[in-house]
Amino acid sequence: MAEDAVTAKAAEADAPAAQLRPGRAADPLPGTQVPGTVAGSGSESLESDNPDEEVDLASSESQNEEIEEGQESEADVDQALAESQQRKLRLMLRQCDRVLLMDFELLSMSNWPDNYRMAEARRSRDLWVLSALIAASVFLSGLTGFVPAWLAGGGFGAFVIILLLGVPFIRNTYTSKPSYMELVMQRQRMLRDARKHVEHLEGKDGLIWQCARMASYNPSLRHSRFTDLIQLSEKRVLPQYMTKREHLRLYLIYLLEAEKAYNSVQQAFFDGNQAAIDNGWQEVAARPEPRT
């Protein structure tokens, strides 16, 4: 046993000393420079390992920036166009809003006495005048002695009765038909009321010549038959030339077409306003005016 222990100790004494295996160099301390290298060479070597990837990355970034700038500029152009269109529609609606004040019954003159009624009333008037003249002639003939006195007296009585039948109060007791003079006065009254309404609609600045800007929403406003009306309205003298029923009927037709165009413009304005709200263009979206 003792010999074995002595032999083991001798073998351990003769064995070579233990050594560490070679490995990677230790990381240098901050602020120190590794021999044989230049400061910053590590980053440069890393950057120079893949130069193509760096070029591709820079080009993709520049392309993304250009795309973003193009999208922003396109969005700005679209917003400016939308704002200009909304301003144009708002101006047309403001200038033509008096179209909604149109009184159809007043301008259409549905109770207008037609030519048949006028001719019938004229015939009744002529018959009344002729009867009165005959009765007056018989009475005057009796004064001169050409006819007997009793016939002259009968003529005078008939003349008085015929005159009384022409009085409106007495005439309405036996007939409901208006006289020729009443029909003429009715026509004049309807024309006068319609002209006042046209004057109210036109105002100081004119109406239908401003509504002509909505022709893109209703091509009927470009018809040549409305040319004279538009020119007179632009000169602010249109109500003075409304002297016939045909003029007022033509004016009414134009207002009806303008009302259709106004509804289309109003719908386009609402659609543009909703689109501006959806896109987040608060400057384009219409806002209610502050109350005073």
Side-chain angles (χ1 to χ4, degrees):
M1 296 288 294
E3 291 178 358
D4 293 334
V6 173
T7 303
K9 291 181 178 181
E12 291 177 359
D14 294 336
Q19 296 180 358
L20 295 175
R21 293 180 181 180
R24 67 179 182 84
D27 295 334
L29 295 176
T32 61
Q33 183 176 356
V34 180
T37 61
V38 182
S41 61
S43 60
E44 293 178 357
S45 62
L46 291 176
E47 293 178 357
S48 62
D49 288 340
N50 297 319
D52 295 336
E53 295 181 358
E54 294 179 359
V55 172
D56 294 339
L57 181 60
S59 62
S60 63
E61 290 179 354
S62 62
Q63 291 177 358
N64 292 334
E65 291 179 356
E66 292 177 356
I67 292 174
E68 291 178 357
E69 291 178 357
Q71 292 177 351
E72 291 178 357
S73 61
E74 184 177 358
D76 294 339
V77 171
D78 293 340
Q79 182 177 356
L81 291 176
E83 185 176 0
S84 176
Q85 180 67 13
Q86 289 296 102
R87 190 182 301 110
K88 179 181 177 181
L89 295 176
R90 190 183 296 111
L91 179 61
M92 286 191 293
L93 292 176
R94 185 183 301 113
Q95 291 177 340
C96 301
D97 56 356
R98 290 196 304 276
V99 172
L100 303 178
L101 302 177
M102 174 188 61
D103 191 342
F104 179 81
E105 294 295 333
L106 190 59
L107 293 178
S108 64
M109 294 181 287
S110 57
N111 296 327
W112 180 264
D114 54 7
N115 295 332
Y116 176 77
R117 294 176 61 189
M118 295 294 293
E120 186 179 6
R122 187 185 299 110
R123 185 168 57 252
S124 299
R125 183 203 61 180
D126 295 341
L127 182 60
W128 175 79
V129 173
L130 180 61
S131 302
L133 289 177
I134 293 174
S137 299
V138 172
F139 171 70
L140 294 176
S141 298
L143 295 178
T144 59
F146 286 101
V147 297
W150 64 269
L151 186 59
F156 178 76
F159 177 74
V160 173
I161 293 173
I162 292 172
L163 289 180
L164 292 176
L165 291 178
V167 178
F169 175 74
I170 300 176
R171 187 177 186 277
N172 293 331
T173 58
Y174 67 91
T175 181
S176 60
K177 294 181 179 180
S179 63
Y180 179 77
M181 185 59 63
E182 291 175 350
L183 293 178
V184 171
M185 294 178 63
Q186 182 180 356
R187 280 189 170 187
Q188 293 179 353
R189 183 175 64 254
M190 296 178 69
L191 282 175
R192 183 174 61 254
D193 295 340
R195 289 181 62 184
K196 288 183 179 179
H197 186 59
V198 171
E199 185 177 0
H200 171 69
L201 292 176
E202 289 293 315
K204 297 180 179 179
D205 300 328
L207 175 61
I208 63 174
W209 75 275
Q210 299 186 79
C211 296
R213 300 177 181 177
M214 300 188 297
S216 57
Y217 293 89
N218 188 0
S220 299
L221 298 178
R222 296 194 182 99
H223 201 279
S224 59
R225 60 178 176 174
F226 301 129
T227 303
D228 295 338
L229 291 179
I230 294 174
Q231 293 177 355
L232 293 174
S233 177
E234 188 175 3
K235 296 178 181 178
R236 281 77 168 174
V237 293
L238 179 59
Q240 301 176 11
Y241 289 86
M242 291 291 176
T243 57
K244 296 182 180 180
R245 188 193 181 199
E246 291 76 13
H247 301 161
L248 294 167
R249 294 294 293 272
L250 186 61
Y251 185 81
L252 175 61
I253 293 173
Y254 188 91
L255 288 183
L256 293 175
E257 297 295 338
E259 187 177 8
K260 295 179 183 178
Y262 184 89
N263 294 332
S264 300
V265 172
Q266 191 177 38
Q267 185 62 40
F269 177 77
F270 289 155
D271 294 341
N273 191 49
Q274 184 63 40
I277 294 175
D278 295 339
N279 293 327
W281 299 335
Q282 300 300 330
E283 296 81 2
V284 179
R287 290 173 292 182
E289 298 181 357
R291 296 183 178 179
T292 56

